[in-house]
Amino acid sequence: MKKIILVGLAFLLALTVTESCKKKKDGGNDRCGEQEIKVTTIPANGTVDPPAPGTTFPLIVNIETMPPSGASITVTAKQDGNSTAYFTETRANATTSNSFQITSTPAGVTCVVEVVVTSKTCNTNQWKGSYRYSAK
């Protein structure tokens, strides 16, 4: 009986050591070895802006940590709860500071702007953010 217990413990120890020694090639993330993309936006990510007049609203996307190969930015705006976008713009060659003008904003409803910054060489190295706003 002791022999069975010792063999079982030895097996569990070997399995634990084997699993703990495994590493992903990129350090345990899905960024292909690239540094994580870091972004700030104006309006800030996660905010809810008060209703404002007009149908055009500015957005600034600042990439603080740019992948070595560059990045693309996709900005999409839609009514909250609706899957159909009324505004979409993609910039294949993003710079560190990118200005957008969200146009055609419908009045009187809450809208969501979604921003996705993606590395050009590693599509799993992404930053995603969003904010809410509305037109009077």
Side-chain angles (χ1 to χ4, degrees), residues 42-125:
I42 303 171
N45 181 40
T47 59
V48 178
D49 283 0
T55 60
T56 301
F57 293 85
L59 165 65
I60 298 173
V61 179
N62 293 316
I63 304 174
E64 296 177 351
T65 305
M66 178 77 76
S69 60
S72 65
I73 300 173
T74 300
V75 175
T76 306
K78 56 190 170 191
Q79 290 184 26
D80 198 5
N82 191 336
S83 61
T84 304
Y86 59 84
F87 175 89
T88 300
E89 184 175 341
T90 299
R91 297 219 179 130
N93 297 307
T95 60
T96 55
S97 184
N98 305 272
S99 296
F100 294 87
Q101 292 292 319
I102 310 297
T103 59
S104 304
T105 303
V109 296
T110 300
C111 300
V112 178
V113 174
E114 297 173 341
V115 180
V116 179
V117 180
T118 306
S119 167
K120 285 184 158 191
T121 56
C122 180
N123 64 1
T124 56
N125 188 9

